[in-house]
Amino acid sequence: MNLVHQQPTVSVVMATYNGAKFIREQLDSILDQLYPIQEIIIQDDGSKDETINIIKEYSKKYPIIHLYQNENNLGFNMNFITAFRRVTTDLVCISDQDDIWFKDKIQKQVEVIGTQFAACCTDHYRDDVFKYPCSYRRNPQNTFESQIFTSHIPGHCLMVRSSFLQKIDYWEPHIPYDWWIVINAHFHGGLVKAPYPLNWYRPYAESVATRHRAKYQRHAEHPSWQPYIFGWEDYKDLQQRELWSKFYGYIHQKTEGKKEFSLVHKLTGLMLKKDLGSLLQLCWLCMKNTDLVHGKEHPNRLMARIRGFFYPMIWAYSTTNFDY
């Protein structure tokens, strides 16, 4: 008997808030996808502009668009997290309200995620203005060791298996939802990368990410030597936060006894300790494993090792991921 191979079904989840300025371009790029979309779930967080009217206009023309409106403002993080509960398909693509997707984004991610992986990420473009072809390509790190330090992979680059999302029994509301997905993906099938850029991220002053960074950025935007000196204090300050202990305690517990996560287990164990000796051990491990932890290629191998040693301070100097 011949069995008919069925394509996995795909939803798009978009969280909106005052997105009228750019949402048409994003919706048009999603509706223009080569791969069939079963549903576009849009959950609005109390927009005061024309966002709702625009979505209703599109939903009349495209019945796959389903609009939900929150009774109270949840903030972008919980807006996404609660919207995921509405998904009924095999796979979920996460969408911002203001980017532009390339036609083959979903198609290529479906091919790469296959039947095994929990999630699939991609590269993306960040040119100041959208043009084709784009040139400013962002290539996020795809190692677990690098991802415990910072949220390299934004939600708009993720395709996620719905069965995996259902296995996340706890969401930390003050950790960015996309970082939480990426961390947990390693425990439920892994995170695979599609090795090409599949969308354009729109950089502008009013975006959620830009406003958050402007509000909580403690130091200069593009430092040089400063993290090597002042990052030590920033690291120690971060360690005092309850959220730090909860986040790294969660990863440390999840990786215990699992050989494939042994380095992550060691790193997070040292990050939970507050003595100077543990910090120096952490720096040494980062230096020894700089390709996994830091990942940025550098023509000077000695300089790469130095930067690897100081990576915890370089990262602590600039991160705002514990300010949600």
Side-chain angles (χ1 to χ4, degrees):
M1 181 174 66
N2 292 326
L3 296 176
V4 178
H5 175 71
Q6 292 186 337
Q7 290 183 311
T9 54
V10 176
S11 295
V12 174
V13 169
M14 178 189 293
T16 59
Y17 179 73
N18 291 344
K21 188 174 182 180
F22 301 118
I23 194 172
R24 290 182 184 274
E25 288 181 275
Q26 176 67 309
L27 285 173
D28 288 342
S29 72
I30 293 172
L31 292 163
D32 199 32
Q33 290 293 298
L34 298 175
Y35 194 92
I37 299 171
Q38 182 166 306
E39 59 183 357
I40 301 174
I41 296 168
I42 303 178
Q43 187 163 292
D44 187 79
D45 206 24
S47 292
K48 303 296 192 294
D49 61 1
E50 288 297 304
T51 299
I52 296 298
N53 291 334
I54 293 171
I55 297 170
K56 287 181 177 178
E57 173 194 327
Y58 271 78
S59 64
K60 288 179 182 178
K61 188 175 180 181
Y62 302 99
I64 63 170
I65 296 177
H66 307 295
L67 170 64
Y68 302 91
Q69 295 175 257
N70 298 333
E71 292 184 5
N72 302 301
N73 183 275
L74 301 177
F76 91 96
N77 211 35
M78 289 306 299
N79 195 18
F80 267 115
I81 291 170
T82 54
F84 293 145
R85 299 170 187 163
R86 303 185 185 277
V87 172
T88 60
T89 55
D90 300 317
L91 300 169
V92 185
C93 262
I94 302 171
S95 172
D96 288 344
Q97 63 184 1
D98 41 27
D99 300 337
I100 293 178
W101 288 7
F102 300 157
K103 285 186 178 184
D104 56 353
K105 181 181 190 295
I106 293 179
Q107 182 182 70
K108 286 188 174 180
Q109 287 193 276
V110 169
E111 292 171 358
V112 172
I113 199 172
T115 59
Q116 173 187 354
F117 294 100
C120 172
C121 64
T122 73
D123 291 358
H124 65 282
Y125 287 114
R126 280 188 168 232
D127 298 64
D128 290 337
V129 178
F130 179 73
K131 58 185 183 302
Y132 192 83
C134 298
S135 58
Y136 181 22
R137 178 172 175 171
R138 292 297 297 269
N139 179 18
Q141 272 291 95
N142 192 36
T143 66
F144 197 0
E145 291 78 7
S146 69
Q147 289 154 5
I148 65 171
F149 285 94
T150 191
S151 180
H152 291 291
I153 299 170
H156 60 80
C157 291
L158 283 171
M159 171 179 278
V160 186
R161 197 172 302 282
S162 301
S163 58
F164 151 59
L165 281 180
Q166 294 166 8
K167 291 176 182 175
I168 302 178
D169 54 4
Y170 170 70
W171 290 83
E172 174 48 60
H174 299 292
I175 292 293
Y177 77 91
D178 42 11
W179 197 11
W180 198 251
I181 287 175
V182 166
I183 293 297
N184 280 276
H186 292 283
F187 307 131
H188 296 282
L191 175 72
V192 65
K193 186 174 181 180
Y196 17 70
L198 294 175
N199 69 293
W200 172 68
Y201 168 85
R202 187 188 302 272
Y204 65 106
E206 294 81 22
S207 73
V208 172
T210 303
R211 284 189 286 110
H212 174 82
R213 194 155 192 82
K215 181 177 180 180
Y216 293 104
Q217 183 70 39
R218 300 179 301 279
H219 304 297
E221 184 71 21
H222 302 289
S224 53
W225 55 268
Q226 293 90 340
Y228 297 86
I229 304 298
F230 302 113
W232 296 84
E233 192 63 34
D234 289 317
Y235 180 87
K236 300 302 288 185
D237 286 346
L238 285 171
Q239 279 195 308
Q240 305 309 311
R241 301 192 188 190
E242 181 182 359
L243 185 57
W244 173 285
S245 298
K246 290 173 67 176
F247 181 66
Y248 290 110
Y250 176 83
I251 299 173
H252 191 64
Q253 183 272 324
K254 285 279 190 179
T255 55
E256 185 173 4
K258 297 179 180 178
K259 186 176 180 181
E260 66 272 31
F261 302 138
S262 60
L263 179 55
V264 169
H265 188 71
K266 290 177 184 176
L267 292 168
T268 52
L270 291 169
M271 295 169 85
L272 289 167
K273 297 178 180 179
K274 298 181 180 180
D275 60 286
L276 179 59
S278 295
L279 175 54
L280 292 175
Q281 287 182 60
L282 174 67
C283 293
W284 177 256
L285 268 183
C286 289
M287 183 183 71
K288 282 182 63 179
N289 299 278
T290 185
D291 291 341
L292 291 173
V293 173
H294 189 227
K296 300 291 185 182
E297 292 187 7
H298 196 285
N300 186 321
R301 197 63 186 164
L302 175 60
M303 188 61 195
R305 292 291 184 183
I306 293 172
R307 291 174 66 177
F309 182 86
F310 285 95
Y311 186 66
M313 278 60 75
I314 295 171
W315 156 73
Y317 183 86
S318 60
T319 187
T320 60
N321 282 336
F322 292 92
D323 294 300
Y324 285 92

